[in-house]
DNA sequence: ATAGGGTTAG
């Protein structure tokens, strides 16, 4: 009956999407499992993984009575490729438990997983397996080991734990020198390791030593210089390289984006001879990250005309753009078009959905997505906690934080910012202090400027201005604008001119161009009817040539975003908008409220 | 081997 095999294998070979794969799989089930050779099973497993349908892959795998090494490896590799690193390591442990011997490719995959997670302990135990099975001479495995070390080398904690034994480039270099066969990848990996470790000089000299530099070598160098923020050097390499591919171009775009230089990023992007999905997601995510989500959305509309099929990463960038704009309708349109069953997608995507719902105003929908998610990691919890905090549900946020600790997830600095802000929004002063203490003492997390700003805000709002000021003075790091800003804002609320002056003096030194600080101080004086001082601040603004920060607002209507600045007359329907606004002001006045009427005259602000 | 992705105060 072997002749039956041919059509199936060609069917599988030409299978291009999840739907057709499912139908092939279903047909095979009906035809009878006799045709399920290990080779076909392997192919189906890999295809499910390619389409991101890991749960299908797992279901299929569970039905196999005695999976061989290749099937285990396919499942593990599929998880790694879909960034489900923890799961891949879990499956790997299961494989060892059942005494199935790993292949060198298996070890390669799990090495990558532990490298990506900076899990040096796992990496180390996998390396001991490499030695046990005598695979250490395989150049591919060696590259993965070097990659694992150099990637983990970025993690300070790992460095401390292993006390220089691991995570240093010395180990990687020694392995490199020992290698019997060095291909171009080995060289590139070494260069990239030095770059990750911040040793640009060593990377450059190794790059010069290379017997032959291919596009990859140049790209490794450019990517390193971009990450180090040395854009001039990166640009120089880019101009000098004999042959550029899409990755080279995209990397330059990304490099400028990382440095907040959207002008040059866009310039390179516009010059690209060829753009692919990665190029598009880079520039779109770049605009979103650099506070220009409107431009991101414009580019998304341009992207749609290219006919390129978006992938999960791309969708992620768009969803996070929508979160920033708060444009729920557009986001929902995108989700209904591209995201069918959230269980099929990565935790990152689920997290961005939670954030999106919360930022677009619906905590309940965010909670629904959160509760539906089968597994949750630290970032997922952090997002949900911050969402609850921003919606004033401080108590719920704190409860969720304790749930998280109960499920043995170790908190980091970010989640504590969420918890502290939950305390602030909920007026939970004591809890805030307890949480801060817990962070420092129980989890040995060094409080950052942001943590201090949260705590100052918490104390200040509650009226404990002196305590807040003492906290600032006790800080182990130099207090920056956010910390003094929180104190100044609290002084405004509680009309404390003395401390406001202290805070303002620091702020004027740190950010003399920020108009908000002058306005806040002047407001404190105005509340106390100290008009002479108000005049003094006003003249300071004139002398300092303070830049006026222009605020804008926007609204989404039928999936179109309309943006407005103060005194804006550019909108097509401006006259109607303003006449409605006038009516609204009349109404409010008739209710007996005094209102602030926006004008172009900045003096009116004070 | 080399390019894009989730959470962070006021």
């Amino acid at each position: 009956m072997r002749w039956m095999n041919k059509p199936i294998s060609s069917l599988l070979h030409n299978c291009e999407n999840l739907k057709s794969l499912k139908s092939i799989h279903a047909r095979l089930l009906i035809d009878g499992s006799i045709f399920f050779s290990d080779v076909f099973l392997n192919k189906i497993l890999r295809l499910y993984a390619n389409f991101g349908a890991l749960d299908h892959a797992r279901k299929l795998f569970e039905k196999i009575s005695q999976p061989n090494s290749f099937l285990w490896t396919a499942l593990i590799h599929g998880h790694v490729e879909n960034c489900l690193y923890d799961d891949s390591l879990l499956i790997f442990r299961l494989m060892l438990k059942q005494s199935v011997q790993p292949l060198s490719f298996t070890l390669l995959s799990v090495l990558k997983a532990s490298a990506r997670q900076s899990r040096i302990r796992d990496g180390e135990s996998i390396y001991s397996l490499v030695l046990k099975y005598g695979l250490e001479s395989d150049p591919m495995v060696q590259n993965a080991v070097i990659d694992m070390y150099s990637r983990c080398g970025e993690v300070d904690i790992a460095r401390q734990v292993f006390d220089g034994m691991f995570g240093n480039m010395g180990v990687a270099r020694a392995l490199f020198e020992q290698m019997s066969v060095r291909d171009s990848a080995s060289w590139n990996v070494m260069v990239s390791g030095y770059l990750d470790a911040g040793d640009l000089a060593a990377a450059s000299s190794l790059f010069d030593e290379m017997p032959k530099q291919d596009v990859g070598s140049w790209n490794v160098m450019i990517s390193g210089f971009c990450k180090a923020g040395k854009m001039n050097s990166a640009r120089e390499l880019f101009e000098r390289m004999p042959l550029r591919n899409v990755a080279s171009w995209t990397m330059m775009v990304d490099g400028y984006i990382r440095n907040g230089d959207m002008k040059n990023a866009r310039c390179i992007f516009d010059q690209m001879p060829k753009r692919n999905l990665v190029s598009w997601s880079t520039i779109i995510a770049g605009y979103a990250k650099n506070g220009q989500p409107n431009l991101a959305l414009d580019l998304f509309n341009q992207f749609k005309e290219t006919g390129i099929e978006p992938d999960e990463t791309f969708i992620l960038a768009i969803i996070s753009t929508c979160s920033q704009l708060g444009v729920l309708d557009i986001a929902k349109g995108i989700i209904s078009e591209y995201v069918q069953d959230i269980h099929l997608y990565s935790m990152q995507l689920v997290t961005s959905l939670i954030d999106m719902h919360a930022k677009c105003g619906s905590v309940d929908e965010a909670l629904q997505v959160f509760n539906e998610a089968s597994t949750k990691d630290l970032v997922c919890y952090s997002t949900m906690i911050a969402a609850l905090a921003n919606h004033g549900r401080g108590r719920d946020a704190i409860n969720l934080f304790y749930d998280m600790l109960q499920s043995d997830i170790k908190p980091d600095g970010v989640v504590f910012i969420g918890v502290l802000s939950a305390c602030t929004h909920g007026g939970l002063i004591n809890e805030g202090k307890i949480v801060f203490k817990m962070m420092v003492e129980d989890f040995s997390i060094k409080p950052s400027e942001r943590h201090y700003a949260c705590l100052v805000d918490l104390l200040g709002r509650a009226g404990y201005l002196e305590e807040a000021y003492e906290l600032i003075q006790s800080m182990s790091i130099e207090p920056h604008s956010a910390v003094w800003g929180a104190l100044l804002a609290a002084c405004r609320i509680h009309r404390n001119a003395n401390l406001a002056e202290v805070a303002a003096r620091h702020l004027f030194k740190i950010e003399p161009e920020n108009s908000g600080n002058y306005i806040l101080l002047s407001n404190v004086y105005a509340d106390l009817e100290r008009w002479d001082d108000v005049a003094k601040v006003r003249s300071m603004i004139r002398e300092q040539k303070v830049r006026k920060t222009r605020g804008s607002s926007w609204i989404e209507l039928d999936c179109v975003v309309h943006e407005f600045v103060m005194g804006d007359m550019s909108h097509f329907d401006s006259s109607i908008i303003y006449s409605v606004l006038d009516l609204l002001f009349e109404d409010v006045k008739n209710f007996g409220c005094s209102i602030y009427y926006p004008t172009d005259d900045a003096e009116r602000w004070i």
Side-chain angles (χ1 to χ4, degrees):
Chain A
M1 293 279 264
R2 279 194 70 82
W3 53 271
M4 282 291 288
N5 290 350
K6 187 128 200 227
I8 299 169
S9 69
S10 75
L11 267 179
L12 286 171
H13 186 74
N14 295 320
C15 171
E16 276 174 345
N17 56 45
L18 184 57
K19 215 173 142 192
S20 63
L21 177 60
K22 276 188 192 162
S23 72
I24 296 168
H25 188 179
R27 250 191 62 190
L28 287 172
L29 285 173
I30 296 165
D31 287 355
S33 57
I34 193 163
F35 303 119
F36 274 74
S37 73
D38 279 350
V39 177
F40 288 153
L41 284 169
N42 202 309
K43 181 81 185 163
I44 296 173
L45 262 182
R46 287 206 314 257
L47 280 171
Y48 272 131
N50 280 352
F51 300 139
L54 269 314
D55 55 342
H56 284 85
R58 273 199 298 266
K59 252 182 237 155
L60 171 62
F61 186 80
E62 279 161 17
K63 290 204 188 102
I64 304 170
S65 58
Q66 273 193 325
N68 62 21
S69 297
F70 290 93
L71 286 163
W72 280 99
T73 305
L75 189 69
I76 291 168
H77 183 245
H79 280 79
V80 173
E81 286 306 296
N82 283 281
C83 302
L84 298 164
Y85 302 119
D86 288 340
D87 290 334
S88 73
L89 291 169
L90 242 113
I91 299 166
F92 177 63
R93 273 184 219 120
L94 215 65
M95 175 182 181
L96 294 181
K97 226 181 187 175
Q98 311 211 347
S99 320
V100 183
Q101 185 172 334
L103 311 166
S104 74
F105 190 67
T106 326
L107 297 175
L108 218 58
S109 297
V110 283
L111 271 173
K112 185 176 172 188
S114 34
R116 289 298 153 107
Q117 299 286 72
S118 293
R119 302 237 300 236
I120 198 152
R121 266 173 216 282
D122 284 318
E124 189 202 15
S125 68
I126 295 162
Y127 186 52
S128 68
L129 285 173
V130 167
L131 297 173
K132 184 179 160 195
Y133 293 109
L135 298 166
E136 71 273 16
S137 55
D138 181 340
M140 291 267 282
V141 173
Q142 288 183 352
N143 284 343
V145 172
I146 294 171
D147 186 47
M148 190 270 292
Y149 284 142
S150 48
R151 268 179 204 272
C152 292
E154 286 191 328
V155 183
D156 289 342
I157 302 162
R159 250 192 206 156
Q160 283 164 14
V161 172
F162 286 89
D163 198 22
M165 185 168 64
F166 287 99
N168 82 41
M169 283 307 291
V171 178
R173 185 67 185 240
L175 274 165
F176 177 73
E177 304 288 352
Q178 280 166 28
M179 285 170 76
S180 43
V181 189
R182 266 176 284 190
D183 57 4
S184 143
S186 333
W187 285 91
N188 291 347
V189 156
M190 270 311 284
V191 172
S192 133
Y194 278 122
L195 289 166
D196 279 349
D199 194 343
L200 302 187
S204 297
S205 75
L206 202 63
F207 177 74
D208 292 336
E209 269 177 49
M210 285 173 74
K212 209 179 135 208
Q213 295 140 342
D214 56 10
V215 192
S217 327
W218 287 91
N219 283 352
V220 167
M221 285 293 285
I222 292 175
S223 129
F225 278 98
C226 284
K227 278 173 197 152
K230 301 205 179 284
M231 283 316 290
N232 289 338
S233 313
R235 183 64 177 255
E236 200 198 305
L237 281 162
F238 178 73
E239 310 272 0
R240 241 175 55 205
M241 69 192 287
L243 197 74
R244 291 174 273 266
N245 59 16
V246 202
S248 331
W249 286 89
T250 308
M251 240 154 11
M252 286 304 292
V253 173
D254 185 52
Y256 283 120
I257 289 170
R258 277 169 201 264
N259 288 282
D261 184 352
M262 286 311 293
K263 264 214 179 99
N264 267 316
R266 183 58 185 267
C267 185
I268 297 274
F269 180 79
D270 287 338
Q271 285 176 43
M272 286 178 77
K274 229 175 153 183
R275 298 182 195 103
N276 62 13
L277 184 59
V278 180
S279 331
W280 282 98
S281 32
T282 304
I283 189 92
I284 291 176
Y287 275 125
K289 263 183 284 187
N290 284 301
Q292 288 165 285
N294 261 337
L295 284 172
L297 225 45
D298 284 348
L299 275 172
F300 174 59
N301 289 325
Q302 280 183 41
F303 165 81
K304 278 200 263 187
E305 285 163 24
T306 64
I308 302 174
E309 194 59 30
D311 68 355
E312 205 184 300
T313 303
F314 186 86
I315 301 295
L316 205 54
I318 291 297
I319 291 177
S320 114
T321 304
C322 291
S323 318
Q324 284 186 52
L325 281 167
V327 288
L328 189 59
D329 286 348
I330 295 175
K332 281 199 167 156
I334 290 162
I335 291 166
S336 69
E337 192 172 344
Y338 300 111
V339 186
Q340 282 87 34
D341 178 2
I342 65 158
H343 298 290
L344 290 180
Y345 296 91
S346 69
M347 206 180 297
Q348 274 111 313
L349 189 76
V350 174
T351 306
S352 75
L353 284 176
I354 294 170
D355 187 51
M356 190 271 295
H357 281 300
K359 296 233 169 86
C360 290
S362 175
V363 238
D364 291 322
E365 275 175 271
L367 266 173
Q368 208 182 319
V369 177
F370 179 80
N371 291 330
E372 263 178 52
S374 45
T375 48
K376 294 142 186 140
D377 68 355
L378 175 62
V379 181
C380 202
Y381 270 103
S382 304
T383 307
M384 198 59 237
I385 289 168
L388 288 166
N390 286 328
H391 285 267
R393 289 166 62 168
R395 188 52 72 190
D396 291 343
I398 291 172
N399 287 339
L400 191 63
F401 175 65
Y402 285 115
D403 284 353
M404 186 191 94
L405 295 183
Q406 291 259 299
S407 20
D408 267 343
I409 295 177
K410 237 184 98 189
D412 67 350
V414 176
V415 72
F416 273 107
I417 289 174
V419 181
L420 285 171
S421 90
C423 296
T424 307
H425 290 280
L428 307 164
I429 318 299
N430 276 330
E431 284 86 345
K433 290 187 196 168
I434 294 168
V435 163
F436 191 84
K437 211 171 155 222
M438 184 202 290
M439 173 176 93
V440 179
E441 288 175 8
D442 299 344
F443 294 100
S444 327
I445 296 171
K446 248 179 136 173
S448 74
E449 189 207 329
R450 287 194 168 173
H451 296 110
Y452 282 114
C454 284
L455 200 58
V456 168
D457 188 38
L458 176 88
L459 295 169
R461 267 175 209 277
Y464 302 112
L465 291 174
E466 286 299 332
E467 203 177 330
Y469 183 47
E470 278 164 25
L471 176 73
I472 295 178
Q473 287 170 314
S474 76
M475 277 171 65
S476 50
I477 48 173
E478 183 76 19
H480 282 289
S481 60
V483 178
W484 290 116
L487 184 67
L488 181 57
C491 289
R492 160 90 212 263
I493 300 169
H494 298 286
R495 303 187 174 195
N496 184 327
N498 289 340
L499 265 181
E501 280 166 2
V502 176
R505 214 176 299 133
H506 284 97
L507 283 166
F508 296 161
K509 221 186 275 165
I510 301 167
E511 36 172 37
E513 74 291 342
N514 185 343
S515 58
N517 298 326
Y518 298 91
I519 292 161
L520 261 175
L521 179 64
S522 141
N523 284 338
V524 176
Y525 290 137
D527 289 341
L528 296 167
E529 301 189 349
R530 287 164 58 170
W531 304 115
D532 288 352
D533 291 316
V534 171
K536 262 186 225 158
V537 181
R538 197 187 290 189
S539 71
M540 272 175 89
I541 295 180
R542 236 173 274 126
E543 279 163 30
Q544 294 281 330
K545 296 199 177 63
V546 173
R547 195 185 53 209
K548 269 183 271 177
T549 42
R550 241 180 143 71
S552 73
S553 63
W554 57 84
I555 188 168
E556 176 196 40
L557 218 65
D558 296 330
C559 291
V560 178
V561 182
H562 306 266
E563 190 185 7
F564 304 92
V565 293
M566 197 198 280
D568 200 332
M569 295 298 286
S570 61
H571 195 274
F572 182 76
D573 286 323
S574 271
S575 57
I576 302 175
I577 294 170
Y578 276 102
S579 61
V580 172
L581 196 60
D582 281 334
L583 283 175
L584 286 173
F585 281 137
E586 268 317 302
D587 275 358
V588 176
K589 252 187 210 155
N590 290 340
F591 275 110
C593 300
S594 65
I595 50 162
Y596 155 70
Y597 198 103
T599 67
D600 258 341
D601 180 10
E603 303 275 316
R604 289 284 300 270
W605 278 77
I606 296 167

